[in-house]
Amino acid sequence: MKAEIIHNSLWGAKHGLLILKTEGFAENCRPGQMCMLSVSGVLSTDPLLRRPFAPYDINIAENTVSIIYAIAGRGTLLLSKQPAGAVLSLSLPHGKPFTLAKNADVALVAGGVGIGPMHFLAKMLHENGCRVTLYYGARTAGELYPPLRDEPAPHRWVLCTEDGSLGNKGFATSLLEQEIGSYDMCYTCGPKPMMKIVQTICSAARKPLEVSLEETMACGIGVCAGCMVKIHEDGAPKMQRCCTEGPVFDGHCVVW
């Protein structure tokens, strides 16, 4: 489907917020699902492959989807230069979404651009009657999405930076470990080393955990098998496709 850019701006050197207007996407998207997005125009074949993104926010009334991205290569660099009014190609939402807890105390742990699916998830969990704490960490203050620093929200924000330039100094996982006993369910998305630590913390505390994995994807529909991840299933390792069996997995089954 076609998606028109209504906002595209960077903060810092390499992080950006993209807002797209499109019909038929917002009402069908669930937290944790992703889309495959062209980065240089609806008719462009350079680069040929779309890039996977999990929505940061959805506005059904306005038919908009917001995406947070980091410039990591040529594709996302091209995306960062697309102006308002440009039209991109966007797939329907697909992949496995998060399981939404109800009336529970939940912890969300996000690192870097992993805040994308976590922000959307926090919004929907609140609507499900959950009491939400979102631990959000980055190396320095400039890598945290600026509006979230002061955003009024129905859930509790815990901001962390490794250099202490904003919020708590250190890792978000350290604070989670101190408070893990308070939660019924945990979710995480971000760098793999961070998610592995979250898995260890939740395993020790015997808390359920879901993770959203970020893998390089080519087709996004399970055909190319380029996004395989190793999962323990029934006591044995098994390879699964991140784009179809995931991107959300039982966090205790992921082999890091």
Side-chain angles (χ1 to χ4, degrees), residues 97-128:
F98 287 108
T99 303
L100 295 181
K102 294 182 180 180
N103 302 313
D105 292 292
V106 297
L108 282 61
V109 188
V113 291
I115 189 63
M118 292 289 98
H119 181 269
F120 183 24
L121 174 63
K123 178 179 177 180
M124 299 309 296
L125 286 170
H126 175 73
E127 292 184 7
N128 250 22

Short mmCIF file of all heavy atoms in Angstrom, two decimals, residues 97-128:
data_model
loop_
_atom_site.label_atom_id
_atom_site.label_comp_id
_atom_site.label_asym_id
_atom_site.label_seq_id
_atom_site.Cartn_x
_atom_site.Cartn_y
_atom_site.Cartn_z
N PRO A 97 2.33 -10.67 17.19
CA PRO A 97 2.32 -9.55 18.13
C PRO A 97 2.59 -10.00 19.56
O PRO A 97 2.67 -11.20 19.86
CB PRO A 97 0.89 -9.02 17.99
CG PRO A 97 0.08 -10.25 17.71
CD PRO A 97 0.97 -11.13 16.84
N PHE A 98 2.72 -9.02 20.45
CA PHE A 98 2.84 -9.31 21.87
C PHE A 98 1.52 -9.86 22.41
O PHE A 98 0.44 -9.55 21.90
CB PHE A 98 3.18 -8.04 22.66
CG PHE A 98 4.59 -7.56 22.49
CD1 PHE A 98 4.85 -6.42 21.75
CD2 PHE A 98 5.65 -8.22 23.08
CE1 PHE A 98 6.14 -5.95 21.59
CE2 PHE A 98 6.95 -7.76 22.93
CZ PHE A 98 7.20 -6.63 22.19
N THR A 99 1.61 -10.66 23.45
CA THR A 99 0.44 -11.07 24.22
C THR A 99 0.13 -9.95 25.21
O THR A 99 1.00 -9.58 26.01
CB THR A 99 0.71 -12.37 24.98
OG1 THR A 99 1.10 -13.39 24.06
CG2 THR A 99 -0.52 -12.81 25.75
N LEU A 100 -1.05 -9.41 25.17
CA LEU A 100 -1.39 -8.29 26.04
C LEU A 100 -1.91 -8.79 27.39
O LEU A 100 -2.96 -9.43 27.48
CB LEU A 100 -2.45 -7.40 25.38
CG LEU A 100 -2.03 -6.68 24.10
CD1 LEU A 100 -3.18 -5.82 23.59
CD2 LEU A 100 -0.80 -5.82 24.33
N ALA A 101 -1.15 -8.50 28.44
CA ALA A 101 -1.59 -8.82 29.79
C ALA A 101 -2.79 -7.96 30.16
O ALA A 101 -3.01 -6.89 29.58
CB ALA A 101 -0.44 -8.59 30.78
N LYS A 102 -3.57 -8.42 31.12
CA LYS A 102 -4.74 -7.67 31.57
C LYS A 102 -4.68 -7.48 33.08
O LYS A 102 -4.38 -8.40 33.83
CB LYS A 102 -6.03 -8.42 31.21
CG LYS A 102 -6.30 -8.54 29.72
CD LYS A 102 -7.62 -9.24 29.46
CE LYS A 102 -7.91 -9.35 27.97
NZ LYS A 102 -9.21 -10.04 27.71
N ASN A 103 -4.95 -6.23 33.50
CA ASN A 103 -5.03 -5.90 34.93
C ASN A 103 -3.84 -6.44 35.71
O ASN A 103 -3.99 -7.03 36.78
CB ASN A 103 -6.34 -6.44 35.52
CG ASN A 103 -7.55 -5.90 34.80
OD1 ASN A 103 -7.67 -4.70 34.56
ND2 ASN A 103 -8.47 -6.79 34.43
N ALA A 104 -2.63 -6.23 35.19
CA ALA A 104 -1.42 -6.77 35.80
C ALA A 104 -0.39 -5.67 36.00
O ALA A 104 -0.47 -4.58 35.41
CB ALA A 104 -0.85 -7.88 34.92
N ASP A 105 0.61 -5.96 36.82
CA ASP A 105 1.77 -5.09 36.97
C ASP A 105 2.83 -5.59 36.00
O ASP A 105 3.30 -6.73 36.11
CB ASP A 105 2.30 -5.13 38.40
CG ASP A 105 1.34 -4.49 39.39
OD1 ASP A 105 1.17 -3.27 39.34
OD2 ASP A 105 0.75 -5.23 40.20
N VAL A 106 3.21 -4.74 35.04
CA VAL A 106 4.11 -5.19 33.98
C VAL A 106 5.30 -4.26 33.86
O VAL A 106 5.21 -3.04 34.10
CB VAL A 106 3.38 -5.29 32.62
CG1 VAL A 106 2.29 -6.33 32.67
CG2 VAL A 106 2.81 -3.94 32.21
N ALA A 107 6.43 -4.84 33.46
CA ALA A 107 7.66 -4.08 33.21
C ALA A 107 8.03 -4.20 31.74
O ALA A 107 8.01 -5.30 31.18
CB ALA A 107 8.79 -4.61 34.08
N LEU A 108 8.36 -3.07 31.14
CA LEU A 108 8.85 -3.03 29.76
C LEU A 108 10.27 -2.48 29.80
O LEU A 108 10.53 -1.49 30.49
CB LEU A 108 7.98 -2.13 28.89
CG LEU A 108 6.64 -2.68 28.39
CD1 LEU A 108 5.69 -3.04 29.52
CD2 LEU A 108 5.97 -1.65 27.47
N VAL A 109 11.17 -3.12 29.06
CA VAL A 109 12.56 -2.68 29.04
C VAL A 109 12.96 -2.41 27.60
O VAL A 109 12.93 -3.32 26.76
CB VAL A 109 13.51 -3.73 29.66
CG1 VAL A 109 14.92 -3.16 29.79
CG2 VAL A 109 13.00 -4.20 31.01
N ALA A 110 13.32 -1.15 27.31
CA ALA A 110 13.67 -0.75 25.96
C ALA A 110 15.07 -0.17 25.93
O ALA A 110 15.46 0.59 26.83
CB ALA A 110 12.68 0.29 25.44
N GLY A 111 15.82 -0.52 24.88
CA GLY A 111 17.14 0.06 24.68
C GLY A 111 17.23 0.68 23.30
O GLY A 111 16.87 0.03 22.31
N GLY A 112 17.66 1.94 23.22
CA GLY A 112 17.82 2.59 21.92
C GLY A 112 16.51 2.67 21.15
O GLY A 112 15.46 3.00 21.70
N VAL A 113 16.57 2.29 19.84
CA VAL A 113 15.35 2.35 19.03
C VAL A 113 14.39 1.21 19.36
O VAL A 113 13.30 1.14 18.80
CB VAL A 113 15.68 2.34 17.52
CG1 VAL A 113 16.34 3.64 17.10
CG2 VAL A 113 16.56 1.15 17.14
N GLY A 114 14.77 0.34 20.29
CA GLY A 114 13.84 -0.66 20.80
C GLY A 114 12.65 -0.03 21.51
O GLY A 114 11.68 -0.72 21.84
N ILE A 115 12.72 1.30 21.73
CA ILE A 115 11.57 2.00 22.32
C ILE A 115 10.38 1.95 21.38
O ILE A 115 9.23 2.11 21.82
CB ILE A 115 11.95 3.46 22.64
CG1 ILE A 115 10.85 4.15 23.46
CG2 ILE A 115 12.24 4.24 21.37
CD1 ILE A 115 10.59 3.55 24.81
N GLY A 116 10.60 1.72 20.08
CA GLY A 116 9.52 1.71 19.11
C GLY A 116 8.34 0.83 19.51
O GLY A 116 7.27 1.33 19.90
N PRO A 117 8.50 -0.50 19.46
CA PRO A 117 7.37 -1.36 19.83
C PRO A 117 6.99 -1.26 21.30
O PRO A 117 5.85 -1.50 21.66
CB PRO A 117 7.88 -2.76 19.47
CG PRO A 117 9.36 -2.65 19.47
CD PRO A 117 9.66 -1.26 18.99
N MET A 118 7.93 -0.88 22.17
CA MET A 118 7.63 -0.78 23.60
C MET A 118 6.67 0.37 23.91
O MET A 118 5.79 0.25 24.75
CB MET A 118 8.93 -0.59 24.40
CG MET A 118 9.86 -1.79 24.40
SD MET A 118 9.25 -3.20 25.37
CE MET A 118 8.55 -4.20 24.08
N HIS A 119 6.83 1.48 23.21
CA HIS A 119 5.95 2.63 23.43
C HIS A 119 4.51 2.30 23.04
O HIS A 119 3.56 2.59 23.77
CB HIS A 119 6.47 3.83 22.64
CG HIS A 119 5.66 5.07 22.82
ND1 HIS A 119 4.60 5.39 22.00
CD2 HIS A 119 5.73 6.07 23.74
CE1 HIS A 119 4.06 6.53 22.39
NE2 HIS A 119 4.73 6.96 23.44
N PHE A 120 4.35 1.69 21.87
CA PHE A 120 3.02 1.28 21.41
C PHE A 120 2.43 0.24 22.35
O PHE A 120 1.24 0.29 22.71
CB PHE A 120 3.14 0.75 19.99
CG PHE A 120 1.85 0.35 19.33
CD1 PHE A 120 0.63 0.88 19.72
CD2 PHE A 120 1.86 -0.56 18.27
CE1 PHE A 120 -0.55 0.51 19.10
CE2 PHE A 120 0.68 -0.93 17.65
CZ PHE A 120 -0.53 -0.41 18.06
N LEU A 121 3.26 -0.70 22.79
CA LEU A 121 2.81 -1.74 23.72
C LEU A 121 2.35 -1.13 25.03
O LEU A 121 1.30 -1.52 25.58
CB LEU A 121 3.94 -2.75 23.96
CG LEU A 121 3.68 -3.82 25.01
CD1 LEU A 121 2.51 -4.72 24.61
CD2 LEU A 121 4.94 -4.66 25.24
N ALA A 122 3.11 -0.18 25.58
CA ALA A 122 2.75 0.44 26.86
C ALA A 122 1.37 1.09 26.78
O ALA A 122 0.56 1.00 27.70
CB ALA A 122 3.81 1.48 27.25
N LYS A 123 1.11 1.74 25.66
CA LYS A 123 -0.18 2.40 25.44
C LYS A 123 -1.32 1.39 25.47
O LYS A 123 -2.35 1.62 26.14
CB LYS A 123 -0.13 3.12 24.10
CG LYS A 123 -1.40 3.82 23.67
CD LYS A 123 -1.20 4.50 22.32
CE LYS A 123 -2.45 5.15 21.81
NZ LYS A 123 -2.24 5.81 20.48
N MET A 124 -1.15 0.26 24.80
CA MET A 124 -2.22 -0.73 24.74
C MET A 124 -2.37 -1.49 26.05
O MET A 124 -3.48 -1.86 26.44
CB MET A 124 -1.93 -1.71 23.59
CG MET A 124 -1.87 -1.05 22.22
SD MET A 124 -3.31 0.00 21.85
CE MET A 124 -4.61 -1.24 21.83
N LEU A 125 -1.27 -1.71 26.77
CA LEU A 125 -1.36 -2.37 28.07
C LEU A 125 -2.13 -1.51 29.07
O LEU A 125 -2.91 -2.01 29.88
CB LEU A 125 0.04 -2.67 28.61
CG LEU A 125 0.78 -3.84 27.94
CD1 LEU A 125 2.23 -3.87 28.39
CD2 LEU A 125 0.09 -5.18 28.25
N HIS A 126 -1.90 -0.21 29.00
CA HIS A 126 -2.65 0.71 29.89
C HIS A 126 -4.14 0.60 29.60
O HIS A 126 -4.96 0.57 30.53
CB HIS A 126 -2.16 2.13 29.70
CG HIS A 126 -2.97 3.13 30.48
ND1 HIS A 126 -2.87 3.25 31.85
CD2 HIS A 126 -3.89 4.04 30.07
CE1 HIS A 126 -3.71 4.19 32.25
NE2 HIS A 126 -4.34 4.68 31.21
N GLU A 127 -4.51 0.53 28.32
CA GLU A 127 -5.91 0.39 27.96
C GLU A 127 -6.48 -0.94 28.44
O GLU A 127 -7.70 -1.08 28.59
CB GLU A 127 -6.08 0.54 26.45
CG GLU A 127 -5.78 1.94 25.93
CD GLU A 127 -6.05 2.10 24.45
OE1 GLU A 127 -6.59 1.16 23.83
OE2 GLU A 127 -5.73 3.17 23.91
N ASN A 128 -5.58 -1.91 28.68
CA ASN A 128 -6.01 -3.22 29.18
C ASN A 128 -6.05 -3.27 30.70
O ASN A 128 -6.19 -4.34 31.28
CB ASN A 128 -5.04 -4.30 28.67
CG ASN A 128 -5.69 -5.21 27.64
OD1 ASN A 128 -6.67 -4.85 27.01
ND2 ASN A 128 -5.14 -6.40 27.47
#
